[in-house]
Amino acid sequence: MAKINDWLEEDKLILLEGWARDGLTNEQIANNIGINVKTLYDWKNKNSNICNVLKKGKEVADYEVENALYKRAVGYRYDEITYENGVETKRITKEVAPDTLAQIYWLKNRKPNNWKDKVVDSENEEAIINAKDILVKIRKTADDRYERDWIKWETSRIHTKC
């Protein structure tokens, strides 16, 4: 079983950061260390070095994914280079068109109020509020009638006993 002090050495902290940067989950990192994931969370709470290197590694990975998603959303150009005998012989600039799916994903997450799937305009929102008010009144009326009928039934039952 691994001990926290074993993982506070600089080379081990670099390894932890690398695993986080490579996109490993906390469960996978804990498995690599040879501990339970709960133990990893305890280590993170007890030692700021472990917490910081994991956070730093994950931030790098998150930024790389964000940048890649952004590039797919807006499109990009790249050079395709051909070499013969170590000498560049041909360079072609290629273009990758913007990806609509990446644009949708980006906008739904960055501007959810404007890009959610189900847009409720103010007119529909008002109708929903009115419908809720009506339902509350219907329920209250039904409850009142039930209670009144129950009292009538109880009263009639009491008076008919001989």
Side-chain angles (χ1 to χ4, degrees):
M1 177 93 166
K3 301 283 184 204
I4 191 170
N5 290 335
D6 298 338
W7 288 89
L8 295 176
E9 297 172 18
E10 187 176 349
D11 60 330
K12 298 287 187 166
L13 291 172
I14 290 170
L15 185 58
L16 290 174
E17 183 179 341
W19 286 338
R21 186 187 57 246
D22 290 344
L24 271 65
T25 64
N26 286 332
E27 290 79 9
Q28 292 169 320
I29 292 171
N31 188 50
N32 285 355
I33 295 171
I35 59 174
N36 185 295
V37 70
K38 186 181 178 322
T39 304
L40 179 62
Y41 289 125
D42 290 342
W43 287 10
K44 287 169 59 173
N45 289 331
K46 288 178 185 173
N47 191 286
S48 62
N49 287 339
I50 290 177
C51 183
N52 290 338
V53 297
L54 290 173
K55 189 184 293 185
K56 183 179 174 189
K58 288 179 181 186
E59 284 176 358
V60 170
D62 290 344
Y63 287 133
E64 287 177 358
V65 171
E66 281 179 26
N67 289 336
L69 177 62
Y70 178 78
K71 280 178 68 174
R72 285 293 291 168
V74 298
Y76 59 95
R77 292 183 179 149
Y78 68 96
D79 288 339
E80 187 175 276
I81 304 170
T82 305
Y83 293 95
E84 288 181 19
N85 299 325
V87 178
E88 180 180 327
T89 58
K90 184 167 48 167
R91 178 182 295 255
I92 300 171
T93 300
K94 294 196 171 187
E95 189 168 326
V96 176
D99 182 344
T100 310
L101 204 55
Q103 292 170 345
I104 291 169
Y105 187 81
W106 180 272
L107 290 169
K108 279 185 179 183
N109 284 285
R110 298 276 295 198
K111 294 187 167 198
N113 291 336
N114 297 336
W115 289 91
K116 57 187 164 192
D117 285 332
K118 193 173 187 179
V119 178
V120 178
D121 59 25
S122 58
E123 206 174 288
N124 287 343
E125 197 170 334
E126 189 176 324
I128 290 169
I129 292 169
N130 290 339
K132 285 180 181 178
D133 290 343
I134 291 168
L135 285 172
V136 167
K137 289 176 185 173
I138 290 170
R139 283 190 189 112
K140 182 166 178 12
T141 303
D143 289 345
D144 290 347
R145 284 188 182 162
Y146 175 77
E147 191 175 322
R148 233 185 350 233
D149 290 347
W150 176 257
I151 292 170
K152 282 183 188 175
W153 181 78
E154 277 289 311
T155 305
S156 67
R157 197 175 69 108
I158 292 170
H159 292 301
T160 57
K161 284 186 179 176
C162 294

